[in-house]
Amino acid sequence: MRPFKLASVLLALLVLSFAAQARKPYVEIERRLTPQQLQEVGLSEEQLAKLNRMLRDADASEGTAPGVAAAAPAEAATNDAGPQVGAGAPRERSPGAGQFIGLNDEPIKSRLKHDVAGWEPGTVFELENGQQWKVLKGRMSLKKPIPKPEIVVVPGVAGRWFLQVDEDMPKARVYRID
């Protein structure tokens, strides 16, 4: 009777170890979020593909040895220029600077090609530098139009961008469309 108990315990441990190693396949972000949620995030197709690849690689490295998993992100930070989120992302970053997406991006200063009388979701702003930004959130109606104002597109956390017409006015949350 004793060998039977030992064999059943070993069999149970073997089955549990296989179950622990079995993983669900990675599900891409596009399938996890609704189209409206994806639009709110404002990532381009290239950015979504890169984020999916990074998350898939991180998911796959969970099963590797601890030293290998820790070395992969450090190597990616030194070999890659870091995540290039948004239009004003700097071309080069120091190692480790890309750890927090959006926190190291520089504001974009330009002038609008047109007058501004206000904005609401869907309004497109064309900058003299050629960039086009579309309002995602925020609404403002001005008493009188401002002729071709200087603006600043300010980075926020997680790749969000905000268009500032005047520092005393509320900012509009925008995403780049060109």
Side-chain angles (χ1 to χ4, degrees):
M1 193 66 144
R2 193 168 190 136
F4 177 73
K5 284 184 181 180
L6 180 61
S8 62
V9 168
L10 288 175
L11 181 62
L13 287 174
L14 183 65
V15 169
L16 287 175
S17 68
F18 281 120
Q21 290 180 0
R23 289 189 206 161
K24 294 181 182 177
Y26 175 76
V27 178
E28 294 181 343
I29 292 174
E30 295 92 322
R31 294 182 186 194
R32 295 181 191 184
L33 302 176
T34 66
Q36 182 182 7
Q37 290 172 322
L38 284 171
Q39 185 180 13
E40 284 182 29
V41 173
L43 295 176
S44 70
E45 293 295 324
E46 292 172 355
Q47 292 168 332
L48 277 172
K50 186 171 186 176
L51 183 58
N52 275 320
R53 186 177 67 246
M54 292 170 75
L55 291 173
R56 188 178 297 111
D57 292 347
D59 196 35
S61 69
E62 285 179 5
T64 61
V68 174
E75 182 179 307
T78 56
N79 290 344
D80 191 6
Q84 298 295 315
V85 176
R91 295 290 180 240
E92 295 181 22
R93 296 180 189 224
S94 59
Q99 292 176 342
F100 301 104
I101 297 174
L103 291 180
N104 298 324
D105 295 332
E106 297 294 324
I108 301 166
K109 296 179 183 180
S110 187
R111 181 178 293 276
L112 292 180
K113 289 183 175 180
H114 51 83
D115 298 349
V116 175
W119 58 84
E120 61 185 15
T123 303
V124 175
F125 290 102
E126 292 185 63
L127 281 55
E128 285 184 344
N129 66 7
Q131 296 177 353
Q132 292 182 338
W133 295 82
K134 191 171 193 176
V135 176
L136 182 65
K137 288 185 179 180
R139 187 177 309 268
M140 181 75 175
S141 181
L142 305 175
K143 291 182 180 178
K144 65 178 193 174
I146 302 173
K148 298 183 181 180
E150 288 189 18
I151 58 95
V152 180
V153 184
V154 184
V157 177
R160 294 182 174 144
W161 290 87
F162 299 90
L163 187 129
Q164 177 179 320
V165 175
D166 184 87
E167 62 184 27
D168 294 331
M169 286 191 227
K171 297 177 186 80
R173 181 162 166 209
V174 294
Y175 61 97
R176 190 166 174 189
I177 60 172
D178 62 344

